[in-house]
Amino acid sequence: MHIDIITTLPRLIESPFSDSILKRAQAKGLVSVNIVDLRQYTNNKYHSTDDYAFGGGAGMVMMIEPIDNCITDLKSKRQYDDIIYMSPDGELLNQSLANTLSLKQNLILLCGHYKGVDERVREHLITREISIGNYVLSGGELAAAVVADAVIRLIPGVLSDETSALSDSFQDDLIAPPVYTRPAEYKGWKVPDVLLSGHQAKIDQWRMDQSLARTQTRRPELLKKG
Ligand code: ADE
């Protein structure tokens, strides 16, 4: 998989890809992440990427020209499955959407800023819009990092067997069961006996019961999805 992330603030998004699982996924050649500086695609002296809104009102709007130049340049090198605009009014990210995106080859994530992008970008250049939740961030960069992380960890080979994404919360529409490690007792707080029993069938049953009970109490809407 290849992901291009278009941003006016490259530094804001570099670090999540420079550590741990996302760094190793790139080192193993399972994914390449390219952070593209939108300012490189401006034709004006000040490299500005935004301008005042027609009709007035507070907040600047990201201009279509640099975004079009950038996307056109990227498209000349690759065919993209989706060109995604990160926006609070987009489709809500969930595990199922992450699974869908993890099967794609080439993705562009466009990070917005200010009051958003000129609507013509959304009408003509974008194929999909994604929100990471019903709240407004200062820009799309953190949201793009969240999407990229949720997607990359699902690519086969990125996680080792022990950390397999198959046992994640939400993967089967259930919350994951609680986990414990040594010591078996701390300040009198004990690990459930069954986990120390060595009886794998009982442990599996306990985990399933816990998953169901947790989902019922914390996220009952997941059980109703059918
Ligand atoms: N940009 C600003 N807020 C956002 C959100 N909640 N999701 C995606 N992109 C955003």
Side-chain angles (χ1 to χ4, degrees):
M1 177 184 277
H2 178 84
I3 305 179
D4 285 295
I5 304 179
I6 305 174
T7 171
T8 51
L9 298 169
R11 275 187 310 174
L12 202 55
I13 200 171
E14 273 157 14
S15 74
F17 300 100
S18 316
D19 248 307
S20 187
I21 289 172
L22 300 188
K23 180 180 178 185
R24 260 179 284 136
Q26 293 170 88
K28 283 197 221 165
L30 298 169
V31 65
S32 49
V33 178
N34 178 32
I35 297 172
V36 185
D37 184 355
L38 186 61
R39 284 184 209 288
Q40 311 255 311
Y41 291 91
T42 53
N43 290 323
N44 58 72
K45 182 160 87 182
Y46 303 104
H47 297 293
S48 54
T49 53
D50 61 321
D51 208 336
Y52 296 99
F54 279 129
M60 305 291 277
V61 177
M62 287 176 72
M63 296 185 289
I64 188 167
E65 191 183 3
I67 296 173
D68 188 27
N69 290 343
C70 180
I71 291 176
T72 302
D73 181 34
L74 295 176
K75 275 172 137 179
S76 71
K77 296 172 210 154
R78 281 191 177 78
Q79 271 215 312
Y80 288 91
D81 299 288
D82 262 318
I83 302 178
I84 301 169
Y85 175 51
M86 304 309 308
S87 172
D89 58 8
E91 176 185 2
L92 267 184
L93 178 67
N94 58 21
Q95 194 62 45
S96 157
L97 178 52
N99 289 344
T100 301
L101 294 176
S102 75
L103 301 173
K104 311 278 186 191
Q105 280 268 287
N106 297 313
L107 295 174
I108 291 178
L109 303 179
L110 170 65
C111 306
H113 256 270
Y114 320 105
K115 271 284 162 208
V117 293
D118 187 307
E119 188 65 18
R120 290 167 291 183
V121 170
R122 303 172 79 159
E123 284 169 5
H124 301 289
L125 305 179
I126 292 298
T127 62
R128 188 173 214 142
E129 306 187 343
I130 297 180
S131 164
I132 64 159
N134 292 332
Y135 40 81
V136 178
L137 302 167
S138 310
E141 283 76 10
L142 299 181
V146 167
V147 168
D149 184 305
V151 168
I152 292 170
R153 65 198 301 286
L154 296 173
I155 298 171
V158 167
L159 298 182
S160 59
D161 277 352
E162 311 89 79
T163 52
S164 163
L166 293 175
S167 57
D168 283 348
S169 280
F170 304 111
Q171 202 52 262
D172 47 8
D173 281 337
L174 290 176
I175 301 282
V179 292
Y180 301 85
T181 186
R182 288 185 289 185
E185 182 169 344
Y186 180 72
K187 292 186 175 175
W189 304 326
K190 291 189 179 146
V191 169
D193 286 338
V194 62
L195 296 179
L196 310 174
S197 69
H199 194 306
Q200 198 56 49
K202 280 191 184 157
I203 293 171
D204 291 344
Q205 186 61 52
W206 180 87
R207 287 185 170 147
M208 181 47 78
D209 294 345
Q210 289 285 320
S211 271
L212 282 166
R214 283 204 157 190
T215 310
Q216 187 65 257
T217 51
R218 293 173 189 221
R219 303 296 302 277
E221 75 279 8
L222 293 175
L223 295 173
K224 293 197 197 95
K225 274 171 54 176

